[in-house]
Amino acid sequence: MERQTANILQDQQLAKLDHLAERQDQIQERNSTMLRYLVACTSNDQTLSWNSRQIGSHCRYKPLQKTVPGDGFTLALQAAHGLHPTIQQAIAALNPPPPVGSLPTTFKPDVTDYDHLDILNLIVFYNQDFEILPNDSIATRIKKLQWFLTML
């Protein structure tokens, strides 16, 4: 009887330790994400400053680091509403989503070279819609992307 009680107590203690280890892993992951977010914001401040000084019809922007976790697949689908179905079908979800602090691999420095799909894929990457509405023209979408990259 005593041995059985001791085994039960030991199992309970092991379960508590497992739970504590899981919580510690969750806290470490959250802290790591927060640190990546702070580093990305600091870097983005410098990039925004640089981007905002670009003048002319074919500015060469630098990409911002990702600051919003997850992917914006749903946001991109909403922004693509009303576009040609082949554009809507070409939007690709990112699995797994890129981590906070990463840069888009498909970024083009001259945003005037972007088409609808390029912008939609950036929405997926950044998990931000750049305030783009479904009925926005490509020129308006490019202006909104420029605003995102410069905050001007």
Side-chain angles (χ1 to χ4, degrees):
M1 181 76 156
E2 278 182 35
R3 186 170 180 88
Q4 192 176 25
T5 302
N7 285 341
I8 291 172
L9 289 174
Q10 184 179 16
D11 288 345
Q12 289 174 342
Q13 289 175 339
L14 289 173
K16 285 181 183 179
L17 287 174
D18 285 344
H19 176 73
L20 288 174
E22 286 176 22
R23 283 291 291 148
Q24 184 177 16
D25 289 345
Q26 291 170 351
I27 290 169
Q28 285 176 339
E29 177 61 31
R30 187 176 64 214
N31 287 344
S32 175
T33 299
M34 288 173 57
L35 180 60
R36 286 192 312 269
Y37 172 78
L38 292 173
V39 169
C41 287
T42 301
S43 175
N44 285 350
D45 283 345
Q46 295 169 351
T47 303
L48 285 167
S49 177
W50 192 89
N51 285 347
S52 68
R53 292 190 305 271
Q54 301 306 301
I55 300 171
S57 60
H58 291 281
C59 298
R60 311 252 337 138
Y61 296 110
K62 293 180 180 179
L64 299 177
Q65 291 185 20
K66 180 178 175 71
T67 57
V68 180
D71 79 32
F73 183 72
T74 303
L75 296 173
L77 287 178
Q78 291 168 351
H81 184 76
L83 296 177
H84 195 276
T86 56
I87 294 174
Q88 294 175 359
Q89 294 165 358
I91 300 169
L94 299 174
N95 193 11
V100 167
S102 58
L103 294 169
T105 57
T106 60
F107 186 83
K108 300 176 191 176
D110 185 351
V111 296
T112 61
D113 290 341
Y114 278 69
D115 59 23
H116 286 291
L117 187 57
D118 293 326
I119 294 172
L120 294 169
N121 284 331
L122 285 179
I123 290 172
V124 172
F125 174 83
Y126 283 112
N127 196 14
Q128 297 189 50
D129 65 10
F130 314 134
E131 299 184 17
I132 289 174
L133 302 173
N135 60 342
D136 284 345
S137 67
I138 188 63
T140 300
R141 289 169 185 242
I142 287 171
K143 286 285 184 202
K144 290 180 177 184
L145 177 60
Q146 287 173 316
W147 183 85
F148 172 77
L149 295 169
T150 62
M151 296 296 169
L152 292 178

